[in-house]
Amino acid sequence: MSAPVAVEVETAHPLVRHRYLILLLLSVVVYVLWLGNRDLWYPDEPDVAEVCQAMFTSGDWVAPRYHGEIWIDYPPMLYWAGSASSVLFGGITEFTLRLPSAIAGVLLVLLTACVTNRWFGPRAGLFAGLVLLASPQFGMQAVAYRPDTLFSLFVAGGMLVYAAGVTENGRWLYRGAGFAMLGLAILTKGPLGLLLPGLAIVLWHGFRREWRRILELVPLTVVAVAVALPWFIAVGRAMGFDEMIHDLGQQNFRRFHDAFKGHERPFLHYAGTIWFDMLPFVFLLPAAVIGFFRSRRSDRHLQFALWWFGAFLVFLSFAKTKRGLYLVPAYPAVAVFVGAWLSEQGASARAGRIFAAAAQWALVGIAALLVGIATAPLSFFTGYEIGESMLALVDAARWPLAIAAIVGLAAAAAVHLARRNGDLTAALLRLGVGYVLLFGTFLAVVYPVFNPVKTYVPQCAKILEMIGDEPTFGLIHHYGSNKKRGAFAFYTKRPVATPRTDDELNAFFDAHPDSIVLMHSGLNEEFFRRRKADFDAWTIGEIEAARIVYRVLRRP
């Protein structure tokens, strides 16, 4: 009779009793409500949006196209999701494009809480959900039109569902469903959606000497491949299998040994960035790991979470190309691990008490910093030579920052009251909710302030006025580059030419005499040097977009 009593005691706290409703409401408020309050921003969003727009308008849902050419830097799942959402709402907007990522974030928070609840109890489930929901990097991806939250849902969801099916009897339905989700991960970011989770699962079973389970991965792998293979066959026929294999190798494997698109970082990059990307609960991970080795080393589910996170961390650390968002699919493993520790030991452990006090005062410090920025005179910032546009941004951010400071102080006060009453569990829960609400406040009122220096919307409206009935315009960013082309194409809904030689530029103006070409102002001396006098005579103005100044050229 002890187990029901323990569960009843554990669910006595109202936040724990209504854990799924709390997590659902928090995640919807933070991730969904503010999706349309800013335009599409670089990095990535405008480029992938332009591909989705081409799919949406053409009706070709097989071959993603970037400026008319088949483009599989990302497989189709992100574009399918954005197009389906836009069909549902009757047109493409920032909200419809980002909505699938937000829903994926909500689902992954709930799934992480549900599986952790099943393994370690209701309180652990709530803590795990809050750990993931409070992570800034996870939240940043959940409100952006990029593939990483969908990828994380399919990778992490597949692993959680698979692990939930690994019981004494071995539930094939659960495990098959888990690997079907890994097939969807392949359709989101490529083969690593199967290879990396597969590595973690093999290491887990190998550590436990469950050799039969490893052999059973063979038919499960067939399930994942069967989910993804039809699209690869279809797009291979459309673009040629050799080219498809080349492009997949560039995106999935060349990045590992060659940072050919930048983002080269040292080996220990993730070991440093995760402390910021998973604030604040990640600081409990060392205590949770120590507690695991002291008393819970035989727990298969904690072993699974540790192998999952460790395999992803080490593998991605060996890759030359590193971005914080690459590690996001492993965040639920940290959430499971820390959530279980908080449920069992957090309210009594010294580390839990220290963490609650430190995180509370961190909220006070954040609020004080925000108040300082909000109340500082503009003359304070002029010494940093940040430019007129950034000074205007600082001025516009005063009230939003003040609102965020109030939320942070209110959260700190709620945590303090719980600590003063000796209820550390309530303090830790309030801490999680407080950090989530603070992040949501930034998304709601602070983020939009940056839109004027990140947007391409008014600039594209001006371009459309300039070109009138011309069907296209040109862009010269730097030699051989399509940089920023996606934003101009998406918001003008016009193809963007990229002339790269004198002959190409003249041919463009021959075909489109009333159109314009945007030239990056920093390239005036570098590009077409022999034609500088012509370009000075052709310049009819300037356009600044996302703090980049372009000369507007029109041939007389």
Side-chain angles (χ1 to χ4, degrees), residues 74-99:
Y74 298 130
M77 184 60 70
L78 180 66
Y79 315 123
W80 287 346
S83 295
S85 173
S86 299
V87 168
L88 182 64
F89 286 90
I92 287 185
T93 65
E94 291 82 3
F95 178 87
T96 63
L97 290 175
R98 294 181 180 125
L99 182 60

Side-chain angles (χ1 to χ4, degrees), residues 191-214:
L192 287 179
L194 173 63
L195 297 178
L196 198 45
L199 171 65
I201 291 171
V202 167
L203 290 173
W204 176 47
H205 286 312
F207 175 78
R208 294 184 59 82
R209 300 182 181 179
E210 296 171 342
W211 313 120
R212 191 185 73 180
R213 293 285 187 239
I214 295 178

Side-chain angles (χ1 to χ4, degrees), residues 32-41 45-46 48-50 52-53 56-57 78-79 81-101 143-146 457 490-491 493:
V32 177
L33 295 187
W34 322 108
L35 294 176
N37 68 352
R38 59 187 175 90
D39 301 322
L40 297 174
W41 292 355
E45 279 193 311
V48 294
E50 201 276 331
C52 181
Q53 183 168 256
F56 179 80
T57 55
L78 180 66
Y79 315 123
S83 295
S85 173
S86 299
V87 168
L88 182 64
F89 286 90
I92 287 185
T93 65
E94 291 82 3
F95 178 87
T96 63
L97 290 175
R98 294 181 180 125
L99 182 60
S101 290
V143 298
Y145 187 52
R146 287 191 286 267
V457 172
F490 179 82
Y491 280 116
K493 294 182 171 56

Side-chain angles (χ1 to χ4, degrees), residues 23-40:
L23 291 172
L24 176 62
L25 290 176
L26 282 174
S27 55
V28 168
V29 167
V30 172
Y31 294 159
V32 177
L33 295 187
W34 322 108
L35 294 176
N37 68 352
R38 59 187 175 90
D39 301 322
L40 297 174

Side-chain angles (χ1 to χ4, degrees), residues 4 97 105 163 192 210 244 250 283 296 342 384 389 400 413 424 430 449 468 481 483 485 487 495 499 513 527 540:
L97 290 175
L192 287 179
E210 296 171 342
M244 180 188 73
Q250 289 280 92
F283 287 99
R296 298 290 298 275
L342 280 168
Y384 294 95
S389 61
L424 187 57
R430 292 179 183 183
V449 173
S481 172
K483 200 170 185 181
R485 189 180 179 190
F527 242 42
I540 62 172

Side-chain angles (χ1 to χ4, degrees), residues 25-325:
L25 290 176
L26 282 174
S27 55
V28 168
V29 167
V30 172
Y31 294 159
V32 177
L33 295 187
W34 322 108
L35 294 176
N37 68 352
R38 59 187 175 90
D39 301 322
L40 297 174
W41 292 355
Y42 279 106
D44 302 329
E45 279 193 311
D47 288 327
V48 294
E50 201 276 331
V51 179
C52 181
Q53 183 168 256
M55 178 177 286
F56 179 80
T57 55
S58 70
D60 179 3
W61 288 49
V62 173
R65 295 182 185 273
Y66 187 68
H67 304 292
E69 298 181 359
I70 296 178
W71 192 72
I72 57 170
D73 273 24
Y74 298 130
M77 184 60 70
L78 180 66
Y79 315 123
W80 287 346
S83 295
S85 173
S86 299
V87 168
L88 182 64
F89 286 90
I92 287 185
T93 65
E94 291 82 3
F95 178 87
T96 63
L97 290 175
R98 294 181 180 125
L99 182 60
S101 290
I103 292 174
V106 173
L107 291 176
L108 187 50
V109 167
L110 293 175
L111 180 60
T112 302
C114 181
V115 175
T116 309
N117 179 109
R118 174 177 173 170
W119 290 343
F120 303 109
R123 191 164 57 185
L126 176 58
F127 274 125
L130 287 175
V131 170
L132 187 59
L133 188 54
S135 301
Q137 183 66 256
F138 182 77
M140 294 286 287
Q141 303 313 313
V143 298
Y145 187 52
R146 287 191 286 267
D148 299 280
T149 310
L150 282 169
F151 184 66
S152 298
L153 172 65
F154 296 135
V155 167
M159 295 191 71
L160 288 169
V161 172
Y162 170 83
V166 180
T167 61
E168 255 186 52
N169 299 323
R171 298 182 182 179
W172 280 97
L173 181 61
Y174 276 31
R175 290 188 288 161
F179 269 74
M181 293 183 72
L182 297 184
L184 297 177
I186 297 173
L187 288 173
T188 308
K189 285 194 76 173
L192 287 179
L194 173 63
L195 297 178
L196 198 45
L199 171 65
I201 291 171
V202 167
L203 290 173
W204 176 47
H205 286 312
F207 175 78
R208 294 184 59 82
R209 300 182 181 179
E210 296 171 342
W211 313 120
R212 191 185 73 180
R213 293 285 187 239
I214 295 178
L215 292 176
E216 290 171 349
L217 294 176
V218 175
L220 292 171
T221 300
V222 172
V223 172
V225 172
V227 170
L229 191 59
W231 177 79
F232 284 96
I233 293 174
V235 80
R237 288 175 176 170
M239 69 183 299
F241 286 98
D242 289 344
E243 186 175 352
M244 180 188 73
I245 292 171
H246 173 268
D247 286 358
L248 288 173
Q250 289 280 92
Q251 287 299 314
N252 289 272
F253 302 110
R254 186 179 172 187
R255 285 177 181 267
F256 187 84
H257 62 80
D258 178 8
F260 74 106
K261 286 193 175 182
H263 307 294
E264 183 172 3
R265 300 290 185 270
F267 180 81
L268 295 177
H269 175 72
Y270 293 117
T273 59
I274 192 172
W275 306 106
F276 300 94
D277 290 346
M278 285 200 75
L279 285 170
F281 288 101
V282 69
F283 287 99
L284 290 174
L285 183 59
V289 172
I290 292 171
F292 164 76
F293 281 106
R294 283 179 176 174
S295 59
R296 298 290 298 275
R297 282 180 292 179
S298 61
D299 189 303
R300 66 182 298 113
H301 298 127
L302 290 178
Q303 290 173 357
F304 173 73
L306 198 56
W307 277 108
W308 173 3
F309 177 67
F312 275 64
L313 178 65
V314 173
F315 181 90
L316 293 172
S317 293
F318 275 104
K320 290 288 186 182
T321 302
K322 296 181 180 70
R323 297 177 69 184
L325 52 85

Side-chain angles (χ1 to χ4, degrees), residues 467 472-476 495-499 508 515-519:
I467 66 176
T472 185
F473 62 98
L475 174 66
I476 302 172
V496 181
T498 54
F508 174 82
S515 190
I516 62 171
V517 171
L518 306 180
M519 177 188 285

